[in-house]
Amino acid sequence: MVSSTVYGSESDLDQIKYILENFGYEVIMSKEGNIYVPIGSNPEAACLKAVENCDLFLGIIFPRYGSGITHKEFEKAVELDKPRWFVTHKYIEYTRKLMHQFMHAEDGKRNGFDIKSTSVLDSVKVVDMYNIARKDWCQPFFNTSEIHLFISTQFHDISLRKKELQNRKK
């Protein structure tokens, strides 16, 4: 499953999907409309069910927060201990360092600090997403080609990933 905000990143996500499919993966992403939505279910519930059903989870943090469903997908992937990788735009790392003093109390706990949406950053909640991701492997990127390199390195050998999944289930 590829989890990310969609708006403004459509062509990047198309490229990522193409690379993963060429390695033999069945890619699930809401942008493609291939997340099963049960009757009476809402988009959030359907996306969280997709996280439960996926074998591998790739989270992408762009400098846009969106609706918040991606954030919940990240939390669900961590909660379920899914095999997961994250890539994050370098602006988010920078923003985390810059905003940390405002976003956290002296005891280190997150406070209610927020910002008004701007064209540069629509929510500091992208930093909260990054804080979830950085507990695992979180590869920084500035342009999409850097994501391609990371994805190619991690996912080029589908047979190896299948073996790892089988060993994990034992």
Side-chain angles (χ1 to χ4, degrees):
M1 178 173 185
V2 175
S3 173
S4 74
T5 54
V6 175
Y7 181 72
S9 305
E10 295 88 349
S11 65
D12 296 332
L13 293 170
D14 288 342
Q15 293 171 36
I16 290 164
K17 178 180 178 275
Y18 178 77
I19 291 169
L20 289 169
E21 285 179 341
N22 278 338
F23 291 139
Y25 294 91
E26 177 186 341
V27 179
I28 304 298
M29 60 172 38
S30 62
K31 176 195 170 300
E32 294 301 307
N34 62 359
I35 290 179
Y36 180 74
V37 182
I39 294 172
S41 183
N42 63 40
E44 179 180 313
C47 288
L48 294 178
K49 187 68 175 170
V51 174
E52 288 179 29
N53 294 335
C54 77
D55 294 318
L56 305 172
F57 183 90
L58 175 63
I60 305 172
I61 308 172
F62 292 108
R64 289 167 300 286
Y65 186 70
S67 68
I69 292 174
T70 302
H71 192 161
K72 291 176 182 173
E73 290 171 350
F74 283 25
E75 291 171 330
K76 186 60 121 177
V78 170
E79 172 193 328
L80 298 174
D81 195 27
K82 290 290 181 176
R84 59 193 176 269
W85 298 261
F86 295 96
V87 292
T88 184
H89 196 282
K90 288 182 180 181
Y91 286 170
I92 305 306
E93 289 182 313
Y94 175 82
T95 302
R96 179 186 175 275
K97 291 173 185 170
L98 182 67
M99 298 286 189
H100 185 80
Q101 63 183 320
F102 304 110
M103 295 176 66
H104 295 85
E106 288 184 23
D107 64 2
K109 293 185 180 175
R110 175 74 161 92
N111 61 31
F113 177 81
D114 204 354
I115 62 167
K116 291 182 181 179
S117 178
T118 69
S119 61
V120 176
L121 184 69
D122 64 351
S123 174
V124 293
K125 291 178 184 175
V126 294
V127 175
D128 294 330
M129 290 171 55
Y130 176 67
N131 286 330
I132 292 168
R134 66 188 289 266
K135 294 173 186 163
D136 294 302
W137 188 281
C138 193
Q139 182 67 34
F141 73 91
F142 188 72
N143 59 48
T144 309
S145 64
E146 293 168 312
I147 299 174
H148 297 173
L149 175 61
F150 180 75
I151 289 172
S152 294
T153 302
Q154 299 310 312
F155 299 105
H156 74 279
D157 189 344
I158 193 169
S159 62
L160 176 60
R161 289 296 181 204
K162 285 180 179 181
K163 285 179 192 174
E164 290 173 334
L165 285 170
Q166 288 171 349
N167 290 336
R168 184 178 166 98
K169 290 178 183 177
K170 290 179 183 177

